Amino acid sequence: MDAMSAESNEEVDNYVSAQYLHLIILSGMYTRLDRSHRLFTFVQLLIYLCILVFHYITIGLATLQLMEVSLVTFGEAVHFCLLIQLVIILIVFIQTKHNSIALFHRAMAENFFDYSENYEGIKERLKQEIRKERRFLVMIPILVGLAVVAIMVLTPQVDKYGTFDFSKISSDFNQHLPFPYMVYPYQNEQGFGYYASVILQLVVATLTGGSIGVGGLAYIVMSQNLWMQMEILYDSLQHIEERTEILLSRKISDIIRS
């Protein structure tokens, strides 16, 4: 565990969390691995994975029955299975890249390189452009999460107008749930079982959409910062003669003074 968090510390973790409005921590795409947070992180990931795997299995069992009823609904259920599978893989795999993510954001926090004052103008201009874009980009994980929840809730309503007969569907499915096509190992027609199923479905939908959205946002943010460094490098090459003259004049001035 210490090896996985070698490049991170509280300052880096706080910086990473702030860059993504704490969504990256909540989604499990970046975790705090210092000693004071390890237990919470372990419990968080364990709960996430248990919820995801449970719904992956319940939807997977449902697809076996839906295949004979409606190809459209079957494909939809398979699609949800694949999305959940993707998030499970992401959450597990991203933990192995914790050091790389922490190292990159440490460099971001330190502005990658100690540029001379000649580049402060262009660097600040590029940062302002990035900040403007990020105001909109931060909505990506939020909107994706809401979209997944909306799809799960609205899909059964749309299916009511489908061409297949719901009477052919197994009684294992509860048509009153937001997403009914799951085979639960417990009674969920009413009471605690029903409300627990509704809450868990909303959690898995939000987690699935949010994790994918946050992953995309993190990729864009890191790409933006790499783009900024390339722009600065390009600008330095474009004005290399001017920089050479400035450095030469400074060198001559230092020699004269000495």
Side-chain angles (χ1 to χ4, degrees), residues 124-139:
E124 188 58 34
R125 176 177 62 81
L126 293 173
K127 281 186 174 181
Q128 289 179 359
E129 292 180 9
I130 289 177
R131 280 194 289 267
K132 289 180 181 178
E133 292 180 357
R134 200 168 298 173
R135 292 172 187 171
F136 297 98
L137 293 174
V138 76
M139 296 300 296

Side-chain angles (χ1 to χ4, degrees), residues 1 37-38 40 42 57 75 81 111 125-126 131 141 151-152 169 171 184 216 232 238 241 245 250:
M1 190 69 74
H37 290 89
R38 284 180 186 175
F40 173 81
F42 175 77
I57 294 173
C81 272
N111 293 317
R125 176 177 62 81
L126 293 173
R131 280 194 289 267
I151 290 171
M152 289 195 70
I169 296 181
S171 58
Y184 286 94
I232 294 174
Q238 289 288 96
E241 293 182 0
E245 291 176 0
R250 288 180 179 176

Side-chain angles (χ1 to χ4, degrees), residues 33-81:
L33 296 179
D34 56 283
R35 295 183 183 277
S36 60
H37 290 89
R38 284 180 186 175
L39 179 60
F40 173 81
T41 296
F42 175 77
V43 173
Q44 176 193 12
L45 294 180
L46 181 63
I47 292 174
Y48 283 3
L49 291 175
C50 286
I51 292 175
L52 289 168
V53 171
F54 173 75
H55 284 82
Y56 180 76
I57 294 173
T58 55
I59 299 178
L61 293 174
T63 59
L64 300 177
Q65 301 181 31
L66 292 171
M67 184 167 52
E68 300 177 356
V69 179
S70 169
L71 187 60
V72 174
T73 309
F74 165 76
E76 179 184 63
V78 170
H79 180 66
F80 281 137
C81 272

Side-chain angles (χ1 to χ4, degrees), residues 74-117:
F74 165 76
E76 179 184 63
V78 170
H79 180 66
F80 281 137
C81 272
L82 293 176
L83 286 177
I84 293 174
Q85 177 180 302
L86 173 62
V87 174
I88 293 173
I89 294 173
L90 278 176
I91 290 178
V92 173
F93 176 75
I94 206 71
Q95 308 310 317
T96 66
K97 299 299 179 182
H98 186 276
N99 271 337
S100 299
I101 297 173
L103 183 62
F104 188 93
H105 285 83
R106 180 196 293 272
M108 283 174 54
E110 297 173 353
N111 293 317
F112 288 91
F113 185 75
D114 185 17
Y115 297 104
S116 65
E117 63 274 11

